[in-house]
Amino acid sequence: MQTPAEGEPMDRTGGADAGTAADAGASARERADGDEGPAAGPRFRRRRELGAASARSLLLTVLGEFVLPAGEPVWTAAFLEALGLVGVEEKAVRQALARSATEGWLSGERHGRRTAWHLTPAGRRLLTDGTDRIYGFGRPGGDWDGRWLLVLATVPETNRKLRHLLRTRLSWNGLGNLSPGVWVSPHPEREPEVREVLAEIGVADTSTLFVGSLGDLGEARRVARQAWNLDEIELAYEDFLDAVRALRPADDPGTFAAHARLVQEWRRFPFLDPALPAELLPDDWSGSQAFALFHERHGAWRPVADRHWKAMTAD
């Protein structure tokens, strides 16, 4: 599996892709090269600047946030202007558009010397799925019933590509690696999805799944900390809070840029955060504050960003 670049989303087959993370997004993490074990996990930089993402990832954010809802073709010039506001150079924008067309998310239609870009059916489907996941992520859940989904799935040491695919797909579905070959989730309702993943990558026949309880709450919290690096996930949330609070747009172009960066950063969290029940999280979990801030700023900035997008795309 290809390792997602910082800020880049993945697809269901494991490559960096618009769908599940425009969905999801890309993210501020780098996957390990396939080695199993809890030590291999996301790494974050303190004070990570908003907007420090690839042109392709930022294009996906604009596609999901503005192009998908509008449902209209967009000229190349509008993408150049929009992505220029978040610091992407013209050459990088053109390359990102060409790559997205090659991968089947966009189609270009020539009109003389100009090109109008349309989302393909596949692009619309992927971005719709991703948008649903982004805006549904982080909402408080109900009380946890204490049950775990346990997955025993191993791949031979010699098959590093398949090991990496297994790790990335199970991680994307919110499972934590408790020890080599042992994956856990406090969401047993995800069992059908996990079985589908194991079948798709060809390890279903050598895997075992079961649901059960594990000790008391203290033991459950210890398992959560062993399977996921909650300290580093919280560090990412703290960086998000610091960076978003520092954004103070003064006009329409600045608000468009701030809004795009806000969404760009938030859409990486479905990759990073397994959405554990509140009972398993530390007190004063920063993710709750980040969720509230994201929706507050999104609600305040979105109307202005939409207005500026319409101005940039007016023919």
Side-chain angles (χ1 to χ4, degrees), residues 63-120:
L63 291 175
E65 191 72 0
F66 300 103
V67 179
L68 179 66
E72 300 291 337
V74 179
W75 297 111
T76 301
F79 284 119
L80 294 174
E81 183 179 357
L83 292 171
L85 291 174
V86 290
V88 183
E89 297 182 354
E90 178 177 340
K91 180 180 179 181
V93 176
R94 294 184 184 277
Q95 289 174 339
L97 288 168
R99 183 178 175 186
S100 297
T102 299
E103 294 181 342
W105 309 331
L106 289 174
S107 63
E109 183 178 345
R110 298 286 296 185
H111 296 265
R113 299 179 63 183
R114 306 170 72 193
T115 300
W117 297 94
H118 309 252
L119 286 172
T120 64

Side-chain angles (χ1 to χ4, degrees), residues 149-154 181 183 191 194-195 198 203-210:
L149 172 64
L150 184 66
V151 180
L152 307 180
T154 57
W183 296 82
E191 181 179 348
V194 174
R195 288 191 181 276
L198 296 174
V203 297
D205 291 342
T206 58
S207 301
T208 302
L209 289 77
F210 54 92

Side-chain angles (χ1 to χ4, degrees), residues 110-226:
R110 298 286 296 185
H111 296 265
R113 299 179 63 183
R114 306 170 72 193
T115 300
W117 297 94
H118 309 252
L119 286 172
T120 64
R124 287 194 297 271
R125 182 172 62 254
L126 293 175
L127 290 166
T128 298
D129 291 346
T131 298
D132 291 344
R133 182 153 188 171
I134 291 168
Y135 292 108
F137 176 76
R139 299 189 184 281
D143 293 338
W144 182 47
D145 64 6
R147 295 187 305 150
W148 293 83
L149 172 64
L150 184 66
V151 180
L152 307 180
T154 57
V155 175
E157 289 280 349
T158 54
N159 196 335
R160 294 175 65 83
K161 182 177 181 180
L162 185 57
R163 283 161 55 83
H164 188 55
L165 180 59
L166 176 67
R167 164 179 286 276
T168 307
R169 291 292 303 278
L170 290 181
S171 296
W172 167 242
N173 279 272
L175 277 76
N177 194 193
L178 185 61
S179 62
V182 180
W183 296 82
V184 295
S185 170
H187 300 288
E189 68 276 7
R190 294 179 182 171
E191 181 179 348
E193 301 171 31
V194 174
R195 288 191 181 276
E196 181 181 354
V197 167
L198 296 174
E200 286 176 357
I201 64 178
V203 297
D205 291 342
T206 58
S207 301
T208 302
L209 289 77
F210 54 92
V211 173
S213 300
L214 176 65
D216 58 15
L217 183 56
E219 178 75 2
R221 284 192 167 192
R222 185 189 66 77
V223 166
R225 283 201 167 274
Q226 185 175 339

Side-chain angles (χ1 to χ4, degrees), residues 5 26 29 40 44 71 115 159 180 218 226 242-243 249 304 313:
R29 59 139 205 219
F44 306 102
T115 300
N159 196 335
Q226 185 175 339
D242 290 345
V304 180
T313 55

